[in-house]
Amino acid sequence: MTFNSILDTIQTYEAGKPIELVVREFGIAPQDIVKLASNENPLGASKKAIEAITNNARNAHLYPDDSMFALKEGLSQHFNVSQQEIIIGSGSDQIIEFCIHAKAHSNSKVLMAKITFAMYEIYSKTTGATILKTQSQSHNLDEFLEIYKAHKPSVIFLCIPNNPLGDCLDKAEVFKFLKEINNDTLVIIDGAYQEYAKAKDSKKAICPKELINTFPNTIYLGTFSKAYGLGGMRIGYGIAKPNIIQALSKLRPPFNITTPSLAAAIEALKDQEHIQKTTQNNLEQMAYYESFAKEKGINYIPSYANFITYLFETPLNSSKIADYLLKKGMIIRNLASYGLNAIRITIGTKNQNEKFFTLLNEFLEQK
Amino acid sequence: MTFNSILDTIQTYEAGKPIELVVREFGIAPQDIVKLASNENPLGASKKAIEAITNNARNAHLYPDDSMFALKEGLSQHFNVSQQEIIIGSGSDQIIEFCIHAKAHSNSKVLMAKITFAMYEIYSKTTGATILKTQSQSHNLDEFLEIYKAHKPSVIFLCIPNNPLGDCLDKAEVFKFLKEINNDTLVIIDGAYQEYAKAKDSKKAICPKELINTFPNTIYLGTFSKAYGLGGMRIGYGIAKPNIIQALSKLRPPFNITTPSLAAAIEALKDQEHIQKTTQNNLEQMAYYESFAKEKGINYIPSYANFITYLFETPLNSSKIADYLLKKGMIIRNLASYGLNAIRITIGTKNQNEKFFTLLNEFLEQK
């Protein structure tokens, strides 16, 4: 059987290794495995969200309210935007997919940073669009602007802070850049890690309402997967002007969120104290990662997210380090597939982080 | 902002009205509303599945095992196929989407019955493919064959039993039809309601293993949303030869199933006793719907699924009936949007069904 030729160009996304796989492959007991690979919230979800899932287990046979009225109402209040300016996705990933399918096609161009969230490229390729990338490792808006002017892409991705590197543009420079962009180019501001960035430095905070009111060609993406601790429930959201939301809604499959996920997100949003605890733990524990790196002479990228990237120099090799840690039950993300001799570690709890320091130290001393 | 012109052709899927909406619009208390509109299992999910959701609530922050090893293992044993012959989707809907995007494009054709599951057409239109439809109300394979020979579609949909009408092709006639189809046409056998059809008449049963081994250009779709009672958890599956599964897997977004959903599906599959109870209740209660229709002189379509379609004649009008019932807190599906003067009622529990009979009777006697 033949398939559309576009499939030949698509690479499957390489997710962080799940604990289940390490159990199966290395025979390590689940309780002895620490996963700091997928930027999950080490404190878990809000107790209220967990309760909402439990309370909705008996409604598992009922399709969710596909209008998602209650969640949109909550987001509408939280961000001071109207319900017509909100779309809900199965993770913000799915909203990336809607954006791409609404704007890109085989004759259009999509612009993104050299190293950024892999799904931007994967979804773009399903349309046959040409991918344009900047040269610099960090988000460089001068390069973005130069490529924009030369190629007029129909979609631009800015990941603020950037995953998997952790660097973060200032709001002021983003707004300055956006002034240069034509109204028919959709600019996607991926704020998956904004809660962490805001907590560290208010200059990084992007207010979705201000963003879309100033630049009606933008969409802000947020997620419940990171600071809200609901990565396993698959809920993200997009905030944009109603004309954009209407177009994307045509591509939203019915019932794209599960019944317990909807209930969990509604409760998680109400528990802002949990977000504060989460970002507080993140800042405190991040400091240990910075000290450890300095002490051992490892380069790192100052991070505005809930992970940190350690950059190695030969003879140190990120793949060898990742393998060593994996066999000891410590899962982190090797960034070799991004062309980097680096690893990305999710900031965990104190205990989890100490296990990481012990194991990496062990590896370094063996050398 | 302009969007891809394909969006202009897409109509949004009209889902069954959720209970939440009736609460909001008519001020009826949730406990007084009966929803027989979305073919949900009135017995709910297996207790084991509900327990699995509760037990996994505290893992809400963890991404699911994206290899879905345990669920594939369960399905592999249940259907006696290999894990390489299985793909998991966010409902079988999502696998329909993968199939369409893998095979269809703006120059190809997709063949389906005149009245069938609306998402076939909605997903097909996103690729710009031409939609071909048979003329008959029920699945007529002679018509399918004639159109196939004249137009060589790249995808054919057979819904067995058919939603929203309930009629069901025999396995023997399906296999006879498939012999005529070229190996490069993907035939999608949508078995969302097969558990119910099988329980009523073994001639309707389609075995996925036999299907794909006899016709390697087919894919069997199953779901946990209907007999398994997990409509709110969004889990479906496709069974096909490995070359097809590999192609579709390229289009699968990572983490397309939630963590509690995976756990629930694994447990639901083990509880075949619950499926037996479910199909038993369905057959028993379906008989009351047939008697009621006969008694009142209402035409109906003998159904092999968990719903029944009542066909009205003027002056009776399905929209008026649906509105009347809705205001009384009884949600059923008006089929006016399919061009029919008909309603589709999900077979509920004895109490739910009796409420329906009482209310419909009330309406009929008012006339």
Side-chain angles (χ1 to χ4, degrees):
Chain A
M1 177 166 296
T2 59
F3 297 99
N4 290 338
S5 55
I6 216 85
L7 294 192
D8 301 336
T9 68
I10 301 174
Q11 283 183 309
T12 309
Y13 175 74
E14 195 194 338
K17 288 191 200 306
I19 289 173
E20 295 86 340
L21 183 138
V22 181
V23 172
R24 290 195 301 274
E25 286 194 2
F26 300 100
I28 303 173
Q31 65 272 19
D32 294 335
I33 299 171
V34 174
K35 184 185 172 202
L36 298 175
S38 299
N39 304 340
E40 295 152 335
N41 186 337
L43 307 186
S46 154
K47 274 185 190 154
K48 290 173 189 171
I50 295 173
E51 256 174 52
I53 297 169
T54 306
N55 293 342
N56 273 278
R58 63 174 181 280
N59 295 329
H61 61 301
L62 301 177
Y63 286 95
D65 174 3
D66 201 42
S67 76
M68 306 192 201
F69 182 87
L71 178 55
K72 284 188 185 166
E73 184 60 22
L75 286 166
S76 160
Q77 283 170 20
H78 186 74
F79 288 113
N80 193 20
V81 296
S82 79
Q83 288 211 27
Q84 287 67 45
E85 292 171 324
I86 300 170
I87 186 169
I88 312 290
S90 176
S92 48
D93 287 41
Q94 196 181 31
I95 303 172
I96 297 170
E97 194 181 4
F98 300 156
C99 290
I100 286 294
H101 284 275
K103 283 295 287 181
H105 50 76
S106 57
N107 295 320
S108 62
K109 292 161 188 164
V110 178
L111 172 58
M112 63 192 71
K114 179 184 176 188
I115 296 177
T116 191
F117 186 42
M119 293 309 299
Y120 304 157
E121 182 168 357
I122 293 175
Y123 286 128
S124 299
K125 279 188 171 171
T126 65
T127 67
T130 302
I131 315 292
L132 306 170
K133 290 186 181 181
T134 56
Q135 289 296 311
S136 298
Q137 189 171 283
S138 60
H139 270 48
N140 181 322
L141 289 177
D142 291 337
E143 284 182 42
F144 267 92
L145 196 57
E146 201 177 314
I147 300 176
Y148 165 75
K149 284 182 177 164
H151 297 281
K152 297 283 180 235
S154 54
V155 180
I156 301 175
F157 283 100
L158 295 180
C159 194
I160 310 172
N162 187 26
N163 175 21
L165 299 182
D167 57 304
C168 188
L169 294 166
D170 282 358
K171 177 204 147 185
E173 50 184 341
V174 173
F175 274 47
K176 189 176 157 224
F177 169 77
L178 289 172
K179 279 186 192 146
E180 305 292 323
I181 308 301
N182 182 290
N183 189 42
D184 200 37
T185 295
L186 178 65
V187 185
I188 300 170
I189 306 291
D190 187 343
Y193 298 91
Q194 266 284 315
E195 288 85 0
Y196 298 101
K198 259 189 291 199
K200 184 172 179 179
D201 182 351
S202 62
K203 285 201 306 292
K204 308 296 182 183
I206 292 186
C207 161
K209 184 187 172 77
E210 185 191 5
L211 175 75
I212 67 170
N213 284 344
T214 316
F215 306 104
N217 61 320
T218 60
I219 181 166
Y220 177 91
L221 303 187
T223 185
F224 285 92
S225 297
K226 305 301 173 188
Y228 285 96
L230 291 172
M233 305 305 288
R234 318 304 300 123
I235 323 132
Y237 53 89
I239 298 176
K241 285 290 176 188
N243 64 319
I244 297 178
I245 297 298
Q246 273 164 32
L248 303 183
S249 297
K250 290 193 166 191
L251 296 169
R252 186 183 67 82
F255 311 125
N256 57 330
I257 305 294
T258 78
T259 297
S261 300
L262 265 184
I266 292 162
E267 291 307 316
L269 194 58
K270 290 177 191 162
D271 191 355
Q272 290 298 318
E273 209 182 301
H274 187 68
I275 301 297
Q276 222 176 336
K277 271 187 215 157
T278 293
T279 54
Q280 180 78 20
N281 173 72
N282 191 62
L283 283 173
E284 281 168 18
Q285 295 297 316
M286 180 79 82
Y288 291 107
Y289 277 90
E290 293 177 347
S291 310
F292 181 87
K294 282 174 195 159
E295 195 183 303
K296 300 292 168 184
I298 300 168
N299 286 324
Y300 67 90
I301 302 173
S303 170
Y304 292 85
N306 68 341
F307 55 81
I308 190 164
T309 296
Y310 278 7
L311 302 158
F312 297 110
E313 282 164 28
T314 39
L316 286 178
N317 176 296
S318 69
S319 301
K320 283 186 184 161
I321 293 171
D323 282 354
Y324 179 86
L325 296 172
L326 190 62
K327 284 173 191 154
K328 303 273 181 174
M330 169 63 63
I331 320 176
I332 50 85
R333 184 73 72 96
N334 178 15
L335 297 184
S337 63
Y338 288 85
L340 295 174
N341 184 13
I343 60 172
R344 188 194 69 185
I345 315 110
T346 303
I347 308 304
T349 59
K350 192 165 178 58
N351 280 345
Q352 291 175 324
N353 300 331
E354 278 170 2
K355 184 168 179 180
F356 170 81
F357 298 136
T358 304
L359 289 172
L360 183 55
N361 199 42
E362 232 175 73
F363 177 89
L364 296 172
E365 293 195 347
Q366 274 189 353
K367 292 274 111 183
Chain B
M1 178 168 294
T2 59
F3 297 100
N4 289 338
S5 56
I6 217 83
L7 293 192
D8 300 335
T9 69
I10 301 174
Q11 285 182 308
T12 309
Y13 176 75
E14 195 192 339
K17 287 189 200 307
I19 288 174
E20 294 86 339
L21 183 137
V22 181
V23 172
R24 289 195 301 271
E25 285 195 2
F26 300 101
I28 303 173
Q31 65 272 19
D32 295 334
I33 298 171
V34 174
K35 184 185 171 201
L36 298 176
S38 299
N39 305 339
E40 294 153 333
N41 186 336
L43 306 186
S46 154
K47 274 184 191 155
K48 290 173 189 172
I50 294 174
E51 256 174 52
I53 297 169
T54 306
N55 293 342
N56 272 277
R58 62 174 180 279
N59 295 328
H61 61 301
L62 300 177
Y63 286 95
D65 174 2
D66 201 44
S67 77
M68 305 194 203
F69 181 87
L71 178 55
K72 284 188 184 166
E73 184 61 21
L75 287 165
S76 161
Q77 283 170 20
H78 185 75
F79 289 112
N80 193 20
V81 296
S82 79
Q83 288 211 26
Q84 287 68 43
E85 292 171 324
I86 299 170
I87 185 166
I88 311 291
S90 176
S92 49
D93 288 40
Q94 197 182 32
I95 302 171
I96 295 169
E97 193 180 4
F98 300 156
C99 290
I100 286 294
H101 284 276
K103 284 294 289 182
H105 48 77
S106 57
N107 295 319
S108 62
K109 291 160 189 165
V110 178
L111 173 56
M112 64 191 72
K114 179 184 175 189
I115 296 177
T116 192
F117 185 43
M119 293 309 297
Y120 303 158
E121 182 169 353
I122 294 175
Y123 286 128
S124 299
K125 279 188 171 170
T126 64
T127 66
T130 303
I131 314 291
L132 306 169
K133 289 186 180 182
T134 56
Q135 289 296 310
S136 298
Q137 189 170 284
S138 61
H139 270 49
N140 181 321
L141 290 178
D142 291 337
E143 284 182 44
F144 267 92
L145 197 57
E146 201 176 311
I147 300 176
Y148 165 75
K149 283 180 177 164
H151 297 281
K152 298 284 181 240
S154 55
V155 179
I156 301 175
F157 283 98
L158 295 179
C159 192
I160 311 173
N162 187 28
N163 175 22
L165 299 181
D167 58 305
C168 189
L169 294 166
D170 281 358
K171 177 203 147 185
E173 51 183 343
V174 173
F175 273 48
K176 191 175 157 225
F177 169 77
L178 290 172
K179 278 185 192 148
E180 305 293 323
I181 308 302
N182 181 290
N183 189 43
D184 200 38
T185 295
L186 178 65
V187 186
I188 299 170
I189 307 289
D190 186 343
Y193 298 91
Q194 268 282 316
E195 288 85 359
Y196 298 101
K198 260 190 290 199
K200 184 173 181 179
D201 183 350
S202 63
K203 285 201 306 293
K204 308 296 183 185
I206 292 185
C207 161
K209 183 188 173 76
E210 185 191 5
L211 175 76
I212 67 170
N213 284 344
T214 316
F215 306 105
N217 60 321
T218 60
I219 181 164
Y220 177 92
L221 303 188
T223 185
F224 285 92
S225 298
K226 306 301 174 186
Y228 286 96
L230 291 171
M233 304 305 290
R234 319 304 302 124
I235 324 132
Y237 53 89
I239 299 178
K241 286 290 179 189
N243 63 319
I244 297 178
I245 297 297
Q246 273 163 32
L248 302 183
S249 297
K250 289 194 168 191
L251 297 169
R252 186 182 69 79
F255 313 123
N256 57 330
I257 306 292
T258 77
T259 297
S261 300
L262 263 183
I266 291 162
E267 291 307 315
L269 194 60
K270 289 178 190 161
D271 190 355
Q272 290 297 317
E273 210 182 299
H274 187 69
I275 300 298
Q276 223 177 332
K277 270 187 216 158
T278 293
T279 55
Q280 180 78 21
N281 172 74
N282 191 61
L283 283 173
E284 281 168 17
Q285 295 297 316
M286 180 81 81
Y288 291 106
Y289 277 90
E290 293 177 347
S291 311
F292 181 87
K294 282 173 193 157
E295 197 183 300
K296 300 291 169 185
I298 300 168
N299 286 325
Y300 67 91
I301 301 172
S303 169
Y304 292 85
N306 68 341
F307 56 80
I308 191 165
T309 297
Y310 278 7
L311 303 158
F312 298 110
E313 282 165 28
T314 37
L316 288 178
N317 176 295
S318 68
S319 300
K320 282 186 185 160
I321 294 171
D323 282 353
Y324 179 86
L325 296 172
L326 189 61
K327 283 173 193 155
K328 302 272 180 175
M330 168 63 63
I331 320 176
I332 50 86
R333 182 73 71 97
N334 178 17
L335 297 184
S337 62
Y338 287 86
L340 295 174
N341 183 13
I343 60 173
R344 187 193 70 184
I345 315 110
T346 303
I347 309 303
T349 60
K350 194 168 176 51
N351 280 344
Q352 293 175 322
N353 300 330
E354 278 170 1
K355 182 167 181 180
F356 170 80
F357 298 136
T358 303
L359 289 173
L360 183 55
N361 199 42
E362 232 175 73
F363 178 89
L364 296 172
E365 292 194 346
Q366 274 188 352
K367 294 272 111 184

